Amino acid sequence: MVGLSTGEKHFIHGGIAQDLRSDGRKRLHFRPISVETGVIPQANGSARVRLGATDVIVSIKAELGKPNSFQPDKGKVAIFIDCSPTAAPEFEGRGGEELSSELSVALERCFLGGKTGTGAGIDLSSLIVVEGKVCWDLYIDGLVISSDGNLLDALAAAIKVALSNTGIPKVNVDLGASPDDQPEVDVSDEEFLQFDTSGVPVVVTLTKVGRHYIVDATLEEESQMSSAVSVSVNRHGHICGLTKRGGAGLDPSVILDMISVAKHVSQNLISVLDSEIAAAEANADE
Amino acid sequence: MRDLQLSLNQTQRVRLQAALQQLQDLASQAAGSSSVTIADTIPVNNEDGILKGHGTSELDGQVVATLCGVVERVNKLVYVRALRARYKPEVGDIIVGRVIEIAPKRWRLEINFSQDAVLMLSSMNLPDGIQRRRTAVDELNMRTIFEENDVVCAEVRGFQHDGSLHLQARSQKYGKLERGQLLTVPAYLVKRRKQHFHHLEQYCVDLILGCNGFIWVGEHLETGENNMLEDREKRPETSKSNMIHEEQEQTFTPLEVRQHICRIANAVRLLAALGFILTVESIVDTAEASASSNIEIKDMLGPEFYVQTVEREVQRRILLSRKRV
């Protein structure tokens, strides 16, 4: 963890109070974001997102599986995040597990909705091939390569970009004679269906430092936080999920205030991401 | 400073490439035969008894370089001074470090070297300013001078017999650094000069270019005789209550000075990301250029100013090379 002297801590607190942070940003400014798509050729979709010095890779693998008996009309999505020891020496061995599972849970909450899959940012019913028998399982794997704060937002952005980069193979289904038979599925390796990502949310984390809250905190600023609220917002400005970290409590009115700010900030972030995705796709085509 | 990742548009990319090409051309004009890359042969004119030093190896009876760098010769010794290397302290270097441990009679400092440096209680001026033996009481009060994680400026005193690196801080200008931010850049970007402490009067900012690549940008504080003493008296107040603490934070650094600090810090970040040598002139020049072309502080790390800075560096080097001719 970063150690800061008292003087530096005061400087960070003062900067946030004066609305001028150490790198010249205001409280609600993001760092420049850069996006690369198709970084892992074996995956169905992948993306690398860099937010300042924070660097994450997300890959998406689609496999055929059997839908859950409780929800025969929905596919399955699993999110797993790994923190590489290259990001920080603390992540070596099992050290990163706590953070990894915290991030995975937060992302699942933001993207997958409730246990039944209602209200999910990812449309699970689009993953079904044969109802009750065959569906697509999406494995979303994230890797944190370098950590300079705000991992959750970066990972969420990377998942969004990777999903827009994902191609799910077209399948021809041969239903057996009797309804009990397992249908035969022929996976095409040439034709791919683009995934619909218009409903996929972005995550905006508001970190409370002192009396004020900021977006896109660096590692140094995060070390000074009292609590952080991550809000996932989709294109229509609807809240898809909410996570709070940090020990200190928050006044309900502050949370409402944070949500409305997050909603406002997220619309900018979505438009920035959209243009970055378009640029990245254009680059990949070249 | 880790690399900047920029999304340049088409024209910016072309401009950047052209400027970098010019820089390379200028560099190759200036560089003599003394700079080598890996596997380059180092001419030794078949002298007898040549001593092969660091970064060299013998291959088929010839001396070849195993590092990228500059060939240095000291009498019979031939070695390569690497261009990119970890910081190696030399006696008299002014460095900025962070306290990581308080041990009996000494502080241990992280200074970006392969080992931690040691600052002895006896090799620093006490707050009362009187020359005397350090007593057990002084030893107990070491935390009132420097705590863990404090950023400290000191001078390299030398290597002890056991190989450990010792520092000293025997002047008012050395000591704890507060009200500012610490930046980390590759150490080879900071060259040893006469002056490493800079008080930028027009900005009211202190800039310390540590030889170890730690750079301090902070509010200017007068180095008076009683500075440290005051500090000690102030300490209990700050931790008295949260309310006072918050009030203080509001009044801590004036907004105008903070803007200057951030602008200069971003100039350092930008130059370090570009791999240009950091001198006080280049930093101030970059900060002024950004201010005069009305670029916001946070946009200094953006693509447009990045390209502009490279282009300005090209102009500067062209002027320099003309003067030399």
Side-chain angles (χ1 to χ4, degrees):
Chain A
M1 210 50 225
V2 270
L4 291 174
S5 71
T6 333
E8 287 170 291
K9 283 176 190 165
H10 283 187
F11 189 79
I12 290 174
H13 277 277
I16 290 166
Q18 287 171 335
D19 204 6
L20 182 70
R21 289 150 73 181
S22 302
D23 47 5
R25 286 184 290 155
K26 287 191 188 308
R27 285 198 283 263
L28 299 182
H29 279 157
F30 262 82
R31 285 172 284 183
I33 191 164
S34 95
V35 164
E36 239 177 287
T37 57
V39 286
I40 299 171
Q42 294 94 329
N44 291 72
S46 58
R48 179 178 192 181
V49 166
R50 277 177 271 209
L51 198 60
T54 296
D55 196 342
V56 295
I57 287 184
V58 163
S59 90
I60 293 177
K61 186 80 184 155
E63 276 175 25
L64 282 173
K66 208 169 166 352
N68 206 325
S69 55
F70 302 114
Q71 293 133 18
D73 58 340
K74 287 195 167 78
K76 289 179 288 185
V77 181
I79 299 180
F80 184 77
I81 305 299
D82 190 25
C83 294
S84 160
T86 53
E90 299 96 83
F91 295 155
E92 201 143 346
R94 306 180 76 102
E97 265 175 26
E98 197 184 337
L99 181 63
S100 303
S101 59
E102 189 186 320
L103 289 169
S104 313
V105 167
L107 286 168
E108 275 174 9
R109 205 171 289 156
C110 292
F111 281 92
L112 305 181
K115 275 226 161 60
T116 54
T118 44
I122 300 171
D123 184 13
L124 296 180
S125 49
S126 68
L127 293 171
I128 205 78
V129 181
V130 181
E131 195 173 315
K133 297 221 173 103
V134 186
C135 71
W136 285 109
D137 289 349
L138 280 192
Y139 294 100
I140 302 180
D141 291 296
L143 178 66
V144 176
I145 300 170
S146 157
S147 160
D148 191 17
N150 209 19
L151 286 175
L152 197 61
D153 294 17
L155 283 165
I159 291 177
K160 189 177 162 71
V161 178
L163 280 172
S164 73
N165 178 243
T166 301
I168 291 180
K170 245 190 185 155
V171 285
N172 292 317
V173 185
D174 180 19
L175 285 174
S178 71
D180 296 336
D181 279 355
Q182 190 62 23
E184 271 182 36
V185 179
D186 177 30
V187 180
S188 148
D189 10 334
E190 278 152 16
E191 283 179 280
F192 290 95
L193 288 174
Q194 208 64 31
F195 202 77
D196 178 31
T197 55
S198 56
V200 178
V202 292
V203 175
V204 175
T205 303
L206 294 158
T207 311
K208 194 157 183 280
V209 180
R211 283 192 217 164
H212 306 270
Y213 46 84
I214 52 173
V215 300
D216 195 14
T218 61
L219 205 56
E220 285 165 357
E221 287 163 340
E222 262 180 11
S223 71
Q224 296 307 305
M225 77 171 192
S226 56
S227 54
V229 173
S230 302
V231 188
S232 79
V233 189
N234 67 11
R235 196 177 298 275
H236 310 295
H238 296 155
I239 312 296
C240 300
L242 196 78
T243 321
K244 183 186 161 294
R245 283 180 296 144
L250 284 172
D251 195 73
S253 65
V254 175
I255 295 188
L256 287 177
D257 199 29
M258 280 174 152
I259 289 174
S260 68
V261 168
K263 197 174 141 182
H264 176 70
V265 172
S266 68
Q267 299 309 310
N268 292 339
L269 180 62
I270 287 177
S271 61
V272 168
L273 264 185
D274 280 344
S275 62
E276 286 290 333
I277 291 170
E281 295 282 352
N283 262 343
D285 288 342
E286 262 171 31
Chain B
M1 174 72 197
R2 288 169 268 198
D3 270 352
L4 279 181
Q5 276 304 319
L6 298 168
S7 37
L8 303 165
N9 64 28
Q10 198 61 42
T11 46
Q12 282 167 343
R13 202 173 301 145
V14 171
R15 277 166 60 199
L16 181 64
Q17 264 163 9
L20 289 178
Q21 185 59 47
Q22 266 180 304
L23 277 183
Q24 210 162 32
D25 295 345
L26 283 168
S28 56
Q29 282 171 22
S33 58
S34 61
S35 66
V36 288
T37 59
I38 295 168
D40 276 0
T41 313
I42 302 170
V44 287
N45 305 332
N46 300 324
E47 286 171 58
D48 289 331
I50 264 284
L51 291 168
K52 294 187 298 296
H54 182 239
T56 60
S57 182
E58 196 171 321
L59 188 76
D60 300 334
Q62 282 183 315
V63 181
V64 292
T66 57
L67 288 170
C68 295
V70 181
V71 177
E72 303 268 354
R73 283 160 205 262
V74 180
N75 296 330
K76 295 238 163 189
L77 174 72
V78 177
Y79 68 95
V80 178
R81 185 165 51 81
L83 290 176
R84 274 168 170 261
R86 183 174 273 276
Y87 169 65
K88 196 166 168 292
E90 282 175 27
V91 175
D93 277 359
I94 288 161
I95 54 114
V96 177
R98 195 186 283 281
V99 177
I100 53 168
E101 190 191 345
I102 299 179
K105 290 186 198 162
R106 72 197 71 198
W107 292 273
R108 217 173 280 285
L109 270 73
E110 144 68 19
I111 58 157
N112 207 14
F113 179 44
S114 51
Q115 68 190 48
D116 294 327
V118 170
L119 176 61
M120 297 292 290
L121 178 61
S122 57
S123 46
M124 83 160 281
N125 275 6
L126 287 184
D128 54 15
I130 308 165
Q131 278 290 352
R132 59 176 170 81
R133 275 182 71 95
R134 309 300 193 257
T135 60
V137 180
D138 288 325
E139 215 177 303
L140 289 172
N141 288 333
M142 275 172 69
R143 266 205 181 76
T144 60
I145 305 177
F146 300 138
E147 277 183 312
E148 282 95 346
N149 290 329
D150 274 350
V151 181
V152 171
C153 176
E155 185 186 310
V156 175
R157 182 166 162 223
F159 286 93
Q160 295 309 100
H161 297 298
D162 57 354
S164 65
L165 178 70
H166 277 229
L167 305 175
Q168 60 180 1
R170 286 198 185 279
S171 153
Q172 286 297 339
K173 62 183 180 179
Y174 300 128
K176 185 148 77 180
L177 302 169
E178 285 179 306
R179 300 194 191 189
Q181 47 180 324
L182 179 74
L183 305 167
T184 312
V185 300
Y188 57 82
L189 294 178
V190 183
K191 293 284 173 249
R192 292 183 178 90
R193 291 184 128 202
K194 270 190 185 151
Q195 199 45 260
H196 285 268
F197 293 90
H198 302 283
H199 170 205
L200 309 174
E201 275 171 36
Q202 69 272 41
Y203 297 128
C204 205
V205 166
D206 271 338
L207 176 68
I208 302 174
L209 300 169
C211 289
N212 56 342
F214 285 7
I215 290 177
W216 179 261
V217 191
E219 190 185 341
H220 176 67
L221 295 172
E222 284 304 326
T223 47
E225 280 289 303
N226 298 323
N227 219 354
M228 282 186 172
L229 209 63
E230 272 173 35
D231 211 48
R232 188 193 278 186
E233 286 161 5
K234 255 193 294 181
R235 172 73 48 74
E237 262 176 62
T238 50
S239 55
K240 207 184 273 172
S241 81
N242 211 13
M243 216 36 223
I244 291 174
H245 181 94
E246 290 219 346
E247 268 168 36
Q248 268 194 340
E249 118 191 357
Q250 303 284 350
T251 54
F252 229 74
T253 305
L255 185 61
E256 202 185 339
V257 176
R258 187 180 291 276
Q259 280 169 344
H260 293 318
I261 291 175
C262 292
R263 199 174 278 282
I264 287 170
N266 272 2
V268 173
R269 288 191 180 103
L270 177 65
L271 290 171
L274 285 163
F276 293 155
I277 296 292
L278 292 167
T279 60
V280 66
E281 292 86 11
S282 70
I283 293 166
V284 170
D285 188 45
T286 311
E288 272 174 2
S290 77
S292 63
S293 48
N294 278 330
I295 285 171
E296 268 191 62
I297 300 171
K298 78 177 177 85
D299 294 332
M300 286 176 72
L301 301 175
E304 179 58 32
F305 193 64
Y306 184 86
V307 177
Q308 274 182 26
T309 308
V310 180
E311 286 173 341
R312 225 186 25 259
E313 177 73 11
V314 173
Q315 293 307 321
R316 196 184 66 85
R317 289 200 195 171
I318 288 174
L319 270 179
L320 259 181
S321 62
R322 275 198 202 130
K323 266 184 207 158
R324 233 181 267 143
V325 175

